[in-house]
Amino acid sequence: MTGILLALLAAVTWGSIVFVSNKLGGDEDSQILGTTAGALLFAILVYLYKRPDLSPLIWTVGVISGLFWSVGQKNQFGAVRYLGVAKTAPMSTGLQLIGTTFFGVFIFKEWQTTASIVIGLAALACIIAGALLTSLNKGEGKGEGKSLKKGFLVLLLSTAGYIGYVVLIRWFNIDGWAAVLPQGIGMVVGAILMTIRDKPYNKYALRNTITGILWSTGNLGLLLALPLIGVATSFSLSQTGIVISTIGGLFFLNERKSKNQVWKVLLGCLLIIIGGVLLGFTKR
């Protein structure tokens, strides 16, 4: 139960990130720079509080994991420019779930019983179906079709970054408390390398430190949940927070287009919640 609650903490905080960063303003460069700065600040405070032992392996894996995350998050912010928040969040979630579940089930052997496999696949089907349902719109013009293709390509790169970030920690069994600081440093280094040409040192980067603290809270929850309930279950549960960002995009960022779309989104969100609940039964 503790692992599930920690994963749900990640769901609530992460589900708010894209929506919050959009409200705070700035392009993807200032958003990723501010987010990583806030995350590093949070990581330093956690380290001072917990004082975990940091071996060379933890430093290496943690920093590389943070670099992967910065690639994933920057490109997710970038996809919003083409797709909007209400589309980016569910599409990104569906792609990430496919990747992390593959590693969790086939590499880490986390679903070992027939019952867990059946329930897990049903849960995953619900979440992906919900994500697809929230992202589909009828009557898209040529311009929107091109934006969809560009956004999807950006999301593929984002997905690779996110999967690398979470799988590395699980692969080397790095303790969540110990991983936070090395990850934070890797995230900042990655953000600086990707944005140094544009020099996004502005008020929007400063504002988005709030996004970084919000993300870090969820990240700690996920890292602590990984050894308790596994990659497939914990990461999938953490992604149910797209309900927050999707509805936020529709109703607070004025991305709503029709009543039909609203109903699709609400139904999709319901499927995602059902899938998240089912995932809680796959690891006991």
Side-chain angles (χ1 to χ4, degrees):
M1 180 59 72
T2 301
I4 292 174
L5 291 176
L6 288 169
L8 289 177
L9 172 64
V12 173
T13 53
W14 286 0
S16 308
I17 288 175
V18 179
F19 169 69
V20 170
S21 64
N22 195 281
K23 293 294 287 185
L24 291 173
D27 60 14
E28 60 263 35
D29 289 336
S30 57
Q31 287 174 335
I32 188 63
L33 188 63
T35 299
T36 54
L40 180 58
L41 175 62
F42 182 93
I44 292 172
L45 293 176
V46 168
Y47 175 77
L48 293 175
Y49 168 73
K50 198 68 177 178
R51 298 283 183 174
D53 292 327
L54 300 179
S55 66
L57 176 65
I58 292 174
W59 274 110
T60 302
V61 175
V63 169
I64 295 174
S65 173
L67 289 170
F68 270 110
W69 180 89
S70 62
V71 172
Q73 189 62 57
K74 182 181 185 297
N75 283 284
Q76 187 182 70
F77 285 148
V80 172
R81 177 156 38 98
Y82 298 107
L83 305 173
V85 173
K87 271 191 175 183
T88 297
M91 290 179 70
S92 178
T93 295
L95 291 170
Q96 290 175 55
L97 286 171
I98 292 172
T100 54
T101 300
F102 172 83
F103 277 92
V105 176
F106 296 103
I107 304 300
F108 300 130
K109 309 295 183 182
E110 293 173 352
W111 295 350
Q112 296 184 353
T113 67
T114 302
S116 64
I117 292 173
V118 172
I119 294 173
L121 290 176
L124 189 61
C126 285
I127 293 175
I128 294 177
L132 289 174
L133 196 58
T134 59
S135 66
L136 294 176
N137 287 317
K138 293 182 178 180
E140 290 184 333
K142 292 183 178 179
E144 288 185 277
K146 290 181 179 179
S147 293
L148 182 62
K149 290 180 181 179
K150 290 181 179 178
F152 184 74
L153 290 175
V154 173
L155 280 180
L156 286 178
L157 182 57
S158 172
T159 301
Y162 279 136
I163 292 174
Y165 138 75
V166 71
V167 168
L168 270 175
I169 296 297
R170 177 67 178 85
W171 189 287
F172 290 94
N173 292 313
I174 305 298
D175 177 67
W177 292 105
V180 172
L181 182 58
Q183 268 190 340
I185 293 174
M187 289 162 59
V188 169
V189 171
I192 292 174
L193 290 175
M194 289 187 292
T195 64
I196 193 168
R197 289 185 178 181
D198 298 316
K199 299 179 180 179
Y201 311 112
N202 50 45
K203 63 179 182 180
Y204 297 112
L206 183 61
R207 287 180 184 178
N208 275 281
T209 55
I210 297 173
T211 309
I213 294 172
L214 189 65
W215 176 84
S216 296
T217 303
N219 180 53
L220 183 59
L222 176 66
L223 293 178
L224 295 177
L226 286 175
L228 297 176
I229 56 177
V231 170
T233 302
S234 58
F235 192 79
S236 297
L237 279 173
S238 74
Q239 295 304 296
T240 59
I242 69 164
V243 173
I244 298 172
S245 52
T246 302
I247 293 179
L250 287 175
F251 295 99
F252 297 100
L253 299 178
N254 299 316
E255 294 178 358
R256 177 174 40 177
K257 295 183 179 181
S258 67
K259 289 184 178 179
N260 183 48
Q261 181 189 8
V262 173
W263 283 112
K264 283 183 177 180
V265 169
L266 293 177
L267 178 58
C269 289
L270 178 61
L271 287 172
I272 292 166
I273 293 173
I274 292 173
V277 172
L278 286 174
L279 280 171
F281 294 97
T282 62
K283 193 78 174 181
R284 290 187 173 183

